[in-house]
Amino acid sequence: MIPPKAGIYHTTSVDVAQSNHTTLSLAGQKRTYGAFRVKESQHDAAVLVNITNTAGFQRPTVYEENNLAPAETGKVPDVIARDQSIYSHRRGLALTPTVASNPLLDLSHPAYGLPKQLVDNFASVGIKSIYPWQSECLLKSGALREKKNLVYTAPTGGGKSLVADVLMLKHVIDIPGKKAMLVLPYVALVQEKMRWLRKVVEGILKTKASSFLGEHQLSGWRKRGDEDAVRVVGFFGGSKWKATWDDMDIAVCTIEKANALVNTAIEDLSIGKLGVVVMDELHMIDDESRGYILELMATKLLSIEQEVQIIGMSATLSNAELLAKWLGNAKFYISRYRPVPVEEHLVFDNAVYAASSSSSFYKTATQPNTHSRNSSQIKPEPAKLITQSPNKELNNALINAVVALSTETARAGYGALVFCSSRLGCENDAILISRALPRAEELDPLTADKRRNILSDLRSTITGLDPILEKTIPAGVAFHHAGLTTEERDAIEIAYDEGVIKVMVATCSLAAGINLPARRVILHGACMGADLVGPSMLRQMRGRAGRKGKDEVGGTYLCCQKSDLEAVAELMEADIPVVESCLLPGKRGIKRALLEVISTKLATSRVSIDDYIRKTLLFYSIDRNELADMVLSTMQDLKETGLIEEIDELDYSATLLGQAVVASSLAPEDGLFVHRELRKALQAFVMDGEMHVLYSFPPVQAAHGNINWQIFRKEVERLDESNMRVLDFVGLKPLVINKMAQGGSIKESTAQEVEIARIYRRFYAALQLRDLCNEMPVHAVARKYDIPRGMVQNLAQTCHGFAAGMIKFCERMNWGALAAVLEHFSDRLRAGARSDLLALAKITYIKSRTARIFWENGFKTVAAVAAADVKDIIPVLLLAQPKKPRVTPEDEQKYINKLKLKAEIISQKANSLWEKEMQAELDEEE
């Protein structure tokens, strides 16, 4: 393969294997079918046979094509052996050179210039050496020594994050006063990365600058004690953390928070302190809903006079060269390397076929005859066959295959990830798979005990134990989707990562949302939701196969119906789509881009705006004349809507409204809607109730599922006079709600109808917020509105984040009184409680109903909780727990022990908060 001219192209593990005449398959590589027909020696293959568990559920099994079928073996073994033909035939394939053969694979090598403490910290989290491609990317791209911009792509699991971590930490440690920003798309990833980075930087001191220290000493200010340490701060959701660059060294942010930080830094002229920005999942730039904000942020960094090193990475980039050109002629690097080889398969009609590079190959699989007169294609032979279970639940060959492949992996002692298209599908698959695995009484005592501990953890959460998880976890199976609460997802993820849970059945959000690899990834159908999964998401899901340090090989199995075979064949052969700008005509990004640079005063003249546009990805994607016309029309639109004003023919300025829209991180269209709604509120704001304030909290694009109009009508009928006035002020009509409840449908064909529908949705969401603010538990709200608990929790978190934007909007508009009211209710939403419990709710684990029970039992202040013994806190926690089923005395004691640990954390946090309160009072007295 000829490397691209302007970048670096790493020799992949495929090339290494081919040069050694080794058969190998990797996720994302196109192959021929012949490359996969690996014949295993007879003594290595284990024959898997049907076994019926004690519940009478006969599981399907997988066996090799040329081995004896179960009926011919004459006996059934007591224990299922590991399938050596799948799991161990690659143990002799060495793809990664060692430090002994290449000293540059040791991070302590002088070429990297990393402090010993950092190298030791990396080793403590399992990174004792790096891969050749990582070394090459760091040293040959100029990103490490010369701080050049870099765009690179490597498969999921190929170690791409470590390259950015080294570059980012090296920058912060070596250059006094310089800060770093790491941008991730999801809150879960931000939280996970923040915890990981804090471990990595523990005990590391930054390089000191004598001039900086001199200033510090002369100023007379007292040092906090952590200025020389590397401080990692997370920015996500509705956090009130108002950190400045002086409070942190590495900011780990969601996309929206990162853009807001850059806007603020440009506006207050502190952007010069930012030294390096890392953008993970760079392919999300063409996501119109939110990813396009990455382009806005990066373009602003390219437009400022200060030099900021920009690093972009992704597992799914097909046009890295163009993105590198956009990012200031950055170096680009492409690696296909995976430390764990991954074999890909297609499964249909209870047969497993090796993946192929030709869609016509798959089509022959549906032909009735092996040879076709009109075709030179030969019908392929399956690599494996799957027995059909006689159980009615597994009549469908697709479901039969999913259960067989999952249970085979779990029985072999490995982890499996099953991706389903819906939440209900996840739960159904989890039940079926669990029934085909050994029950708790058939397991070794240690494994059974660990799984009981998971049930105890889940039972001790405020929402209690999900009845389906109660059935599946004893068999080592769990499901993972948006319907679960954060506490449930965290517990399940930890259990799966530790190997206690063997099979995780998840929706596609898990593929990109968190790092949980598996020995085997199984796709239950090629649709995720209502649509066929895209090539990029397919790559993300398949990329979870293969766990470094635990697996010698990974496998992916796309299970489908014969009717879907042609579409699946095209999908598996499809190239990853190119990443393009979301500022293109027909998309709304350009309006926000121009408003932000004018508001932050980064570009306020025709000349500077033109210069800014030339630095966008859009500039490389559109005809120049068309681009000029689009910019002019957008500027005219911004003027007509009152977001900017023309000072003279060549200069522009953002109006107060425009500044408020940018400060609140809203898109212009959404900001105008919010402004109209808040203006109405200022004219007649209902202060003798809660609904008017809470109506401001649901995001503009709030489409929290579908409205259950019968429930909506019932809740409206219960509204008091105060809240009925709110209904009237925001423009909702009880007659319309009644009509919808009787089977009508709300129209959304015009802009006005869309806005009206949006108001109904926001008010319906506000009803749920009202119940949460009045201490109704999440599970009770979920039951009342007939939606999953996790969706209620997610609504609260999303609205809390949006409320923070609304507060900033009001502050910038000089609506201080309204901002104060919004902030108060934002605190109540975060606490899930009434006003009298806000102080208590700052304590970890004390929220909503739990806070009320503490209050009712005499713990009305943080000081009271801090002064209490742990043994006095446990009975209160017991009162706050949901009703639980009868359990054994042993499990009951474990349950109490869990609550004791919670009580200890509550006591520690209460003491910490109380000490801060006392210190604040002392500071005020001084």
Side-chain angles (χ1 to χ4, degrees):
M1 181 175 291
I2 301 174
K5 293 179 181 179
I8 304 172
Y9 198 103
H10 178 62
T11 301
T12 70
S13 47
V14 173
D15 302 322
V16 174
Q18 289 176 346
S19 65
N20 294 328
H21 305 289
T22 307
T23 302
L24 178 65
S25 64
L26 291 184
Q29 288 295 113
K30 293 188 176 181
R31 298 132 295 217
T32 60
Y33 171 69
F36 280 88
R37 292 297 295 149
V38 182
K39 293 289 183 181
E40 310 297 341
S41 58
Q42 185 67 28
H43 70 274
D44 277 342
V47 181
L48 299 184
V49 300
N50 285 332
I51 285 188
T52 304
N53 68 15
T54 54
F57 189 86
Q58 186 166 310
R59 69 182 183 89
T61 56
V62 187
Y63 59 91
E64 298 295 321
E65 173 197 20
N66 294 321
N67 289 333
L68 294 174
E72 300 172 276
T73 63
K75 63 177 182 178
V76 176
D78 295 328
V79 180
I80 296 294
R82 288 185 178 178
D83 185 352
Q84 300 294 324
S85 62
I86 298 175
Y87 294 124
S88 63
H89 70 275
R90 298 206 183 279
R91 285 178 180 167
L93 182 60
L95 296 176
T96 305
T98 63
V99 172
S101 64
N102 184 354
L104 285 172
L105 301 186
D106 189 343
L107 280 173
S108 65
H109 194 284
Y112 304 108
L114 301 180
K116 182 179 183 302
Q117 183 65 57
L118 179 58
V119 175
D120 292 343
N121 287 357
F122 274 131
S124 71
V125 295
I127 302 170
K128 297 184 172 132
S129 64
I130 61 175
Y131 304 132
W133 83 263
Q134 293 171 322
S135 173
E136 193 174 58
C137 184
L138 285 167
L139 298 177
K140 292 187 178 181
S141 65
L144 187 66
R145 295 192 190 96
E146 302 167 44
K147 312 302 180 189
K148 290 185 177 179
N149 292 353
L150 173 67
V151 174
Y152 65 98
T153 177
T156 302
K160 67 180 186 299
S161 294
L162 182 60
V163 172
D165 292 338
V166 170
L167 292 171
M168 184 171 60
L169 291 168
K170 173 81 170 165
H171 208 122
V172 168
I173 293 169
D174 287 356
I175 305 178
K178 285 295 183 182
K179 313 298 180 180
M181 188 163 67
L182 172 59
V183 189
L184 298 161
Y186 305 112
V187 170
L189 288 178
V190 170
Q191 294 171 324
E192 181 184 36
K193 191 68 177 185
M194 181 178 63
R195 290 191 293 265
W196 189 86
L197 280 173
R198 284 175 176 171
K199 292 178 185 176
V200 169
V201 302
E202 189 173 352
I204 294 176
L205 300 179
K206 297 172 290 187
T207 301
K208 297 179 181 179
S210 56
S211 60
F212 174 75
L213 287 174
E215 280 180 21
H216 211 67
Q217 291 165 354
L218 290 172
S219 67
W221 288 97
R222 181 176 56 190
K223 293 180 68 174
R224 291 188 322 184
D226 65 346
E227 284 86 350
D228 297 332
V230 178
R231 296 158 297 179
V232 181
V233 176
F235 292 86
F236 52 89
S239 172
K240 286 187 176 182
W241 179 251
K242 292 182 172 66
T244 65
W245 292 126
D246 292 334
D247 300 316
M248 62 189 164
D249 299 291
I250 300 175
V252 188
C253 316
T254 55
I255 295 172
E256 294 79 7
K257 290 293 184 181
N259 186 56
L261 274 177
V262 169
N263 283 342
T264 301
I266 292 173
E267 202 169 5
D268 65 16
L269 304 180
S270 65
I271 192 67
K273 294 185 178 181
L274 184 60
V276 56
V277 173
V278 176
M279 297 185 292
D280 200 357
E281 308 296 348
L282 188 59
H283 63 275
M284 285 192 67
I285 277 181
D286 66 358
D287 175 16
E288 191 179 0
S289 64
R290 57 193 293 265
Y292 74 96
I293 301 171
L294 283 171
E295 181 177 351
L296 273 60
M297 182 189 71
T299 305
K300 282 177 282 197
L301 295 174
L302 293 170
S303 301
I304 61 177
E305 294 181 1
Q306 288 85 0
E307 291 187 3
V308 178
Q309 184 181 21
I310 301 175
I311 299 162
M313 58 177 169
S314 173
T316 54
L317 279 183
S318 61
N319 55 337
E321 185 173 5
L322 174 63
L323 294 173
K325 184 178 180 181
W326 162 53
L327 292 175
N329 288 317
K331 293 292 183 180
F332 71 94
Y333 191 100
I334 301 172
S335 174
R336 306 288 187 202
Y337 177 74
R338 280 193 61 110
V340 179
V342 177
E343 298 176 332
E344 298 176 9
H345 307 85
L346 182 69
V347 183
F348 64 95
D349 203 18
N350 280 326
V352 180
Y353 296 89
S356 169
S357 60
S358 169
S359 59
S360 60
F361 159 76
Y362 293 117
K363 293 176 183 177
T364 62
T366 59
Q367 294 176 3
N369 301 315
T370 302
H371 296 275
S372 173
R373 294 180 180 179
N374 301 322
S375 174
S376 59
Q377 296 284 349
I378 299 176
K379 183 178 179 180
E381 296 178 355
K384 308 175 191 297
L385 297 174
I386 300 172
T387 59
Q388 178 62 52
S389 171
N391 295 93
K392 290 182 179 180
E393 298 97 324
L394 304 181
N395 279 346
N396 183 286
L398 173 57
I399 298 175
N400 187 75
V402 169
V403 173
L405 292 165
S406 305
T407 54
E408 181 194 30
T409 312
R411 285 175 178 268
Y414 298 100
L417 265 179
V418 181
F419 286 109
C420 286
S421 62
S422 67
R423 296 193 298 270
L424 181 60
C426 287
E427 295 173 13
N428 290 339
D429 276 6
I431 291 171
L432 291 174
I433 294 168
S434 67
R435 291 184 62 194
L437 286 170
R439 297 193 300 181
E441 56 267 26
E442 302 173 67
L443 300 171
D444 65 274
L446 181 60
T447 300
D449 189 56
K450 287 180 178 178
R451 290 174 183 172
R452 281 196 296 269
N453 285 342
I454 300 170
L455 294 177
S456 178
D457 288 343
L458 293 172
R459 191 174 286 119
S460 66
T461 62
I462 194 65
T463 56
L465 177 60
D466 180 271
I468 295 177
L469 289 175
E470 186 176 15
K471 295 176 183 177
T472 63
I473 285 177
V477 183
F479 61 86
H480 186 292
H481 56 57
L484 294 178
T485 64
T486 301
E487 295 77 15
E488 289 171 321
R489 292 198 296 269
D490 287 346
I492 289 166
E493 287 164 8
I494 291 170
Y496 175 80
D497 193 50
E498 293 175 347
V500 181
I501 297 294
K502 292 298 182 185
V503 182
M504 178 91 86
V505 191
T507 49
C508 59
S509 59
L510 182 66
I514 203 158
N515 182 29
L516 287 176
R519 168 59 72 99
R520 184 176 273 180
V521 169
I522 303 159
L523 276 69
H524 184 152
C527 289
M528 291 297 137
D531 303 318
L532 193 71
V533 65
S536 294
M537 181 54 71
L538 178 63
R539 180 77 62 90
Q540 291 274 11
M541 289 188 284
R542 296 194 306 195
R544 294 296 170 201
R547 185 182 296 217
K548 181 179 177 291
K550 296 185 180 181
D551 297 326
E552 300 83 26
V553 65
T556 69
Y557 294 78
L558 200 168
C559 306
C560 68
Q561 307 275 14
K562 270 192 176 183
S563 58
D564 297 329
L565 201 53
E566 186 172 356
V568 168
E570 293 177 0
L571 170 65
M572 294 187 76
E573 290 299 308
D575 292 325
I576 295 174
V578 297
V579 175
E580 65 177 17
S581 173
C582 266
L583 310 186
L584 288 165
K587 301 182 178 182
R588 63 181 189 166
I590 185 64
K591 192 180 293 186
R592 179 168 182 173
L594 292 175
L595 177 59
E596 286 193 356
V597 294
I598 293 172
S599 178
T600 57
K601 297 182 173 60
L602 182 62
T604 57
S605 67
R606 292 277 181 91
V607 174
S608 57
I609 289 172
D610 182 61
D611 183 62
Y612 169 80
I613 289 295
R614 287 175 177 273
K615 290 182 170 62
T616 62
L617 180 59
L618 172 68
F619 184 74
Y620 298 93
S621 313
I622 191 173
D623 176 77
R624 301 294 180 267
N625 292 328
E626 185 181 358
L627 176 58
D629 292 341
M630 185 172 70
V631 170
L632 286 174
S633 64
T634 302
M635 295 291 288
Q636 185 62 33
D637 191 7
L638 290 170
K639 285 192 293 182
E640 291 175 355
T641 51
L643 296 172
I644 66 171
E645 56 189 359
E646 194 169 1
I647 299 174
D648 53 46
E649 292 184 0
L650 297 177
D651 291 300
Y652 299 92
S653 174
T655 63
L656 188 62
L657 173 58
Q659 294 172 34
V661 169
V662 172
S664 56
S665 300
L666 290 171
E669 298 85 353
D670 296 344
L672 291 171
F673 172 81
V674 164
H675 183 245
R676 289 193 296 271
E677 294 296 291
L678 291 179
R679 288 283 296 179
K680 287 192 294 185
L682 288 172
Q683 293 170 9
F685 197 69
V686 180
M687 292 292 291
D688 55 346
E690 303 160 323
M691 287 302 300
H692 212 161
V693 181
L694 295 175
Y695 169 74
S696 304
F697 286 1
V700 176
Q701 305 300 330
H704 179 59
N706 294 319
I707 295 175
N708 185 318
W709 291 100
Q710 286 78 22
I711 295 175
F712 198 175
R713 178 174 61 182
K714 187 183 298 183
E715 291 304 303
V716 167
E717 289 172 350
R718 294 174 179 172
L719 292 178
D720 58 19
E721 185 272 334
S722 167
N723 288 324
M724 285 302 294
R725 277 187 280 123
V726 178
L727 199 74
D728 181 53
F729 286 151
V730 300
L732 301 190
K733 301 182 183 302
L735 287 176
V736 172
I737 296 171
N738 186 55
K739 180 181 177 182
M740 296 300 106
Q742 293 174 352
S745 58
I746 195 163
K747 296 180 179 179
E748 297 185 66
S749 55
T750 66
Q752 184 179 6
E753 289 173 348
V754 168
E755 184 159 319
I756 291 172
R758 182 184 296 165
I759 294 171
Y760 279 96
R761 290 194 183 96
R762 295 184 82 210
F763 196 91
Y764 186 66
L767 289 169
Q768 298 165 48
L769 301 183
R770 174 204 59 184
D771 291 339
L772 290 170
C773 286
N774 284 290
E775 301 165 27
M776 182 179 287
V778 167
H779 61 88
V781 176
R783 185 169 57 249
K784 178 178 179 180
Y785 293 92
D786 193 24
I787 51 180
R789 296 177 297 184
M791 299 294 284
V792 174
Q793 191 182 60
N794 183 62
L795 173 69
Q797 293 167 351
T798 301
C799 291
H800 187 249
F802 189 77
M806 292 301 91
I807 294 166
K808 290 180 180 178
F809 187 96
C810 292
E811 289 173 343
R812 189 59 68 96
M813 292 294 295
N814 298 318
W815 299 339
L818 182 55
V821 173
L822 292 177
E823 186 165 14
H824 173 75
F825 275 87
S826 175
D827 290 341
R828 283 189 56 186
L829 179 59
R830 179 189 57 81
R834 297 184 179 92
S835 303
D836 55 347
L837 300 182
L838 291 181
L840 275 179
K842 293 179 182 178
I843 303 173
T844 304
Y845 293 132
I846 298 185
K847 300 286 186 293
S848 189
R849 179 170 174 268
T850 304
R852 180 58 61 192
I853 291 175
F854 268 79
W855 176 280
E856 291 171 349
N857 283 270
F859 298 99
K860 297 188 177 183
T861 63
V862 173
V865 179
D869 289 331
V870 170
K871 61 182 178 61
D872 296 325
I873 296 175
I874 294 174
V876 183
L877 283 178
L878 277 169
L879 290 172
Q881 300 306 304
K883 291 182 181 179
K884 61 182 188 298
R886 292 181 180 177
V887 293
T888 64
E890 182 182 3
D891 287 343
E892 178 69 22
Q893 187 56 49
K894 288 180 180 178
Y895 179 70
I896 297 296
N897 290 340
K898 299 285 183 187
L899 291 183
K900 182 179 179 182
L901 290 174
K902 264 189 182 179
E904 290 172 352
I905 294 172
I906 287 171
S907 179
Q908 292 169 5
K909 183 63 176 178
N911 275 281
S912 175
L913 288 170
W914 183 75
E915 287 173 6
K916 287 180 181 179
E917 289 177 5
M918 293 299 98
Q919 185 62 48
E921 289 182 9
L922 289 173
D923 290 343
E924 285 181 6
E925 290 177 3
E926 292 177 1

